[in-house]
Amino acid sequence: MDCIFCKIVKGDIPSYKIYEDDLIMAFLDVNPVFPGHTLIIPKEHTLDINSIDEETLCHIMKKAKDIANMIVNSLDADGFTLAQNNGFVQEVKHYHLHIIPKYKRKMVINIE
Ligand code: AMP
Ligand code: ZN
């Protein structure tokens, strides 16, 4: 299957991985809305909220809390948003939960 996130799981394309276990992986979004923007994905390919199995979904939500707080602490963020797109608004057709840190101070992203 030609799925970019499956390729990340296999290590066929690079990612900046910040967490991994048997079921899931978390890595930095390549086009961050704010610094530390992270995606959590199941390692097994599945489309969206309707197709993911509930055990994996619950595991992702539990880990999202831990990972989000770790990001907030390490980047001195002031809060975070969890978001997950389905249907036509979902660009990458492999389930992923966005963790988007939010900052009270103005943030500038340098793209080199
Ligand atoms: P969505 O609209 O929820 O499907 O968002 C897809 C997200 O995947 C976007 O925020 C992209 O920046 C991100 N993305 C696409 N390709 C990669 C990649 N190779 N590595 C990391 N993030 C990616
Ligand atoms: Zn996939």
Side-chain angles (χ1 to χ4, degrees):
M1 188 188 301
D2 194 26
C3 169
I4 197 158
F5 288 175
C6 283
K7 286 180 183 163
I8 285 179
V9 171
K10 280 195 257 166
D12 290 347
I13 62 171
S15 67
Y16 193 103
K17 196 190 302 179
I18 62 170
Y19 178 80
E20 180 176 24
D21 62 28
D22 288 348
L23 288 178
I24 66 171
M25 219 178 121
F27 53 89
L28 292 182
D29 194 296
V30 80
N31 189 20
V33 175
F34 289 108
H37 182 171
T38 294
L39 304 175
I40 306 183
I41 65 167
K43 286 186 169 175
E44 193 170 314
H45 183 90
T46 192
L47 173 61
D48 64 10
I49 191 81
N50 294 313
S51 63
I52 190 169
D53 71 89
E54 288 192 357
E55 185 199 345
T56 308
L57 182 62
C58 290
H59 185 63
I60 286 175
M61 288 311 294
K62 276 188 195 161
K63 289 296 171 187
K65 187 173 73 171
D66 297 341
I67 294 167
N69 285 309
M70 183 269 287
I71 293 167
V72 164
N73 289 334
S74 50
L75 296 180
D76 197 23
D78 300 293
F80 62 89
T81 298
L82 300 180
Q84 192 263 312
N85 292 320
N86 300 275
F88 84 102
V89 285
Q90 182 181 1
E91 238 174 72
V92 177
K93 303 297 187 190
H94 179 134
Y95 177 100
H96 52 282
L97 178 68
H98 295 256
I99 301 173
I100 306 171
K102 298 285 170 70
Y103 302 84
K104 286 184 189 168
R105 62 191 185 278
K106 195 173 174 191
M107 297 300 294
V108 177
I109 300 176
N110 288 317
I111 300 169
E112 299 187 356

